[in-house]
Amino acid sequence: NAGVTQTPKFRVLKTGQSMTLLCAQDMNHEYMYWYRQDPGMGLRLIHYSVGEGTTAKGEVPDGYNVSRLKKQNFLLGLESAAPSQTSVYFCASSLPPGRGNNQPQHFGDGTRLSIL
Amino acid sequence: AQRVTQPEKLLSVFKGAPVELKCNYSYSGSPELFWYVQYSRQRLQLLLRHISRESIKGFTADLNKGETSFHLKKPFAQEEDSAMYYCALIQSWAGNMLTFGGGTRLMVKP
C-alpha cells in the first residue's frame, strides 16, 4: 500500500518550459490537493479537487493548471515555467468529512522543482 | 481571512527540557486545528488534531479559543523529536483545505 506517490521526485527546467507533475493515491480518497512549500511560508494550497472531474483554485493558483480525470490521479501542470515557481511541491489526499469529523490529509514525498 | 502564525522559525532545546511550539490562528468560524510533523527526508505526517484530545509521542496540544492558540507541548524533549513542525487550520467549507503556518524547526541537542 503505497499511499500517495508523486513523480518525478526531482526536476530542473528552463524558464518557459512546460511540465506535468503526477500524483497518484491508492486509498480511494475523494479529495486531493497540490501544495507548494517555500522557506518560511509553510505550505500553500495551489489547487484542489473534491472528486473526479472537479477542480478548484486554492491560495496560489496562478501559473498552474490541474486535472482530475481519474479518481486516483491528480495532475499539476506548469505551462510556462518561471523561476518564481522553484519550490517543493506536495500532493495530498483525504476522505471527505463525515458526520462533522474532518479527515486528515495524507501527503506524498514531494517533488523538488528548480526553474533556471 | 484565516491565518495561522508560528512565531518561531527555529527552536533549539536540550534533551530532557520542556518544549512548547507556539501556534496562533485567526478564523471567523469554529476552528479545527492540526499539528503536522516532517522528519528529515520523510513526508509530512499528521501528529495530532485538537478534536481527538490525544497525546502522540508525548506531545499534547490544547485549543485555547480565548487566546486563539493551539500550542504544541512536550514535557521532556528527545533527540528524535528534531523535525519541522507545522500548525494547520482546516476549512471545511472549502474542500477541507488546510491553511498552514510557516513552520518551526525544532532541534533537540544531546
Side-chain angles (χ1 to χ4, degrees):
Chain A
N1 191 342
V4 178
T5 303
Q6 293 182 230
T7 53
K9 295 191 184 304
F10 306 95
R11 187 73 182 267
V12 178
L13 293 178
K14 294 182 180 179
T15 298
Q17 286 185 314
S18 63
M19 80 161 294
T20 300
L21 307 184
L22 170 64
C23 176
Q25 52 93 5
D26 60 4
M27 297 174 283
N28 203 32
H29 285 171
E30 290 289 336
Y31 290 12
M32 296 188 74
Y33 314 81
W34 274 108
Y35 294 88
R36 59 177 289 173
Q37 182 186 40
D38 301 293
M41 303 185 74
L43 282 76
R44 292 178 293 167
L45 184 67
I46 304 171
H47 287 279
Y48 66 98
S49 168
V50 299
E52 182 178 323
T54 71
T55 63
K57 293 181 179 180
E59 183 184 358
V60 288
D62 293 342
Y64 304 95
N65 57 74
V66 288
S67 64
R68 184 94 182 270
L69 299 180
K70 294 183 179 180
K71 185 177 182 179
Q72 63 268 34
N73 295 336
F74 194 29
L75 306 180
L76 177 71
L78 286 74
E79 290 186 348
S80 179
S84 61
Q85 294 177 305
T86 293
S87 187
V88 181
Y89 292 85
F90 285 96
C91 177
S93 71
S94 76
L95 291 169
R99 296 182 179 271
N101 185 22
N102 290 306
Q103 300 295 328
Q105 294 181 17
H106 299 260
F107 285 81
D109 286 330
T111 296
R112 189 173 297 275
L113 186 61
S114 294
I115 317 294
L116 304 178
Chain B
Q2 65 286 341
R3 177 175 288 183
V4 178
T5 304
Q6 294 178 248
E8 303 140 328
K9 291 187 177 180
L10 174 65
L11 184 61
S12 182
V13 301
F14 285 102
K15 177 182 174 181
V19 170
E20 182 179 53
L21 290 88
K22 291 183 168 54
C23 172
N24 290 91
Y25 67 90
S26 63
Y27 188 60
S28 57
S30 183
E32 183 171 349
L33 289 131
F34 299 79
W35 275 99
Y36 279 83
V37 60
Q38 188 176 27
Y39 300 102
S40 179
R41 300 178 184 174
Q42 294 187 27
R43 62 182 61 185
L44 205 66
Q45 56 188 285
L46 178 68
L47 180 61
L48 53 81
R49 53 196 302 185
H50 91 267
I51 63 170
S52 299
R53 304 182 67 82
E54 58 197 344
S55 174
I56 303 293
K57 298 184 179 182
F59 285 98
T60 59
D62 291 318
L63 179 63
N64 186 323
K65 291 186 178 181
E67 295 183 359
T68 60
S69 69
F70 188 54
H71 302 328
L72 184 68
K73 301 177 183 179
K74 185 170 183 176
F76 307 104
Q78 302 299 315
E79 289 183 68
E80 55 266 29
D81 296 329
S82 296
M84 196 75 182
Y85 291 81
Y86 292 97
C87 182
L89 172 72
I90 202 165
Q91 297 182 63
S92 305
W93 56 268
N96 271 16
M97 60 182 284
L98 288 170
T99 298
F100 283 88
T104 299
R105 180 168 298 283
L106 175 64
M107 292 179 57
V108 181
K109 297 176 286 188

